Amino acid sequence: MNTDDRKWEIIESEYLIRRPWLTARRDRVKLPTGVEIPEYYILEYPDWVNVIAITKEGKFVLVRQYRHGIKETRYEICAGVCETGEEPLLSAQRELYEETGYGNGNWTKLMTVSANASTMTNITHCYLATEVERISTQHLEETEDLIVHLLSEEEIKALLLNDEVKQSLMAAPLWKYFALYSHS
């Protein structure tokens, strides 16, 4: 018996809302200690992807967009949802193409992270794409308003050091990139 596996037992589960961008449920759970939590709330999401894309010229491909949750416009790496049945790498390649018009290049998985492992069901697959090139125009959805920017490594570092990248799921892979591959 693996004593490190401290999995909770779900005694009862009830969906509170099931909408395209919000699925929430309330679980009644029992901990390995025997303690019961009558109301534990979980948000269900599909897996997400994001991409650190770097052009053949060494520029980072970012988008700038408004985020209503914090009511600010920010620089971000390309990101999106894994469509049902779509492999994460294909989702990442599709998102980069749709949001920026960039593609091709060399792709590697950089890391996987959770936005909030205690209450959210999904993970984010983070990719590094090097040697990308512009192959098309943007193919945005009606609700997307993104402006593409090409930034230098120094500019990205300055954004990170000045807390200008607010989305933690984007800051984490950028910091890992600089820990592993920084040229300066």
Side-chain angles (χ1 to χ4, degrees):
M1 182 172 157
N2 183 354
T3 57
D4 292 337
D5 184 6
R6 308 295 291 166
K7 191 172 180 177
W8 296 0
E9 176 188 349
I10 299 173
I11 299 168
E12 185 179 353
S13 191
E14 172 190 12
Y15 280 95
L16 305 173
I17 186 170
R18 284 187 182 184
R19 303 292 300 156
W21 295 106
L22 178 62
T23 300
R25 70 174 202 260
R26 177 178 46 225
D27 289 347
R28 188 170 138 228
V29 296
K30 184 176 182 180
L31 284 60
T33 60
V35 172
E36 286 190 19
I37 301 174
E39 293 187 13
Y40 198 91
Y41 296 92
I42 298 293
L43 298 174
E44 294 182 3
Y45 292 103
D47 282 357
W48 297 329
V49 292
N50 64 38
V51 182
I52 297 173
I54 305 172
T55 67
K56 291 179 176 183
E57 298 76 30
K59 295 289 188 175
F60 287 69
V61 181
L62 271 73
V63 294
R64 194 155 163 81
Q65 66 179 316
Y66 175 76
R67 291 303 193 181
H68 191 61
I70 62 172
K71 294 181 177 52
E72 295 179 4
T73 301
R74 291 287 168 184
Y75 285 107
E76 298 182 349
I77 59 178
C78 295
V81 172
C82 286
E83 299 294 339
T84 304
E86 189 176 45
E87 290 297 317
L89 174 59
L90 294 177
S91 295
Q93 291 170 332
R94 177 183 48 74
E95 287 292 340
L96 181 65
Y97 175 76
E98 290 174 356
E99 291 186 359
T100 69
Y102 281 78
N104 298 332
N106 306 306
W107 291 73
T108 56
K109 183 107 173 233
L110 186 61
M111 65 191 300
T112 56
V113 290
S114 170
N116 186 343
S118 66
T119 61
M120 295 172 68
T121 60
N122 66 327
I123 60 171
T124 299
H125 305 270
C126 308
Y127 289 90
L128 172 62
T130 57
E131 304 282 316
V132 300
E133 57 191 346
R134 186 167 180 152
I135 57 176
S136 180
T137 59
Q138 291 175 293
H139 300 275
L140 300 176
E141 296 174 17
E142 186 178 280
T143 58
E144 291 180 310
D145 181 23
L146 311 173
I147 299 171
V148 178
H149 292 268
L150 300 179
L151 301 176
S152 69
E153 185 173 293
E154 293 74 27
E155 290 171 314
I156 300 296
K157 282 183 186 175
L159 290 173
L160 288 167
L161 290 170
N162 293 310
D163 294 330
E164 293 295 321
V165 178
K166 296 293 185 190
Q167 171 52 269
S168 61
L169 297 172
M170 297 178 183
L174 283 167
W175 279 117
K176 184 169 184 178
Y177 170 83
F178 284 112
L180 296 176
Y181 304 108
S182 181
H183 297 93
S184 57

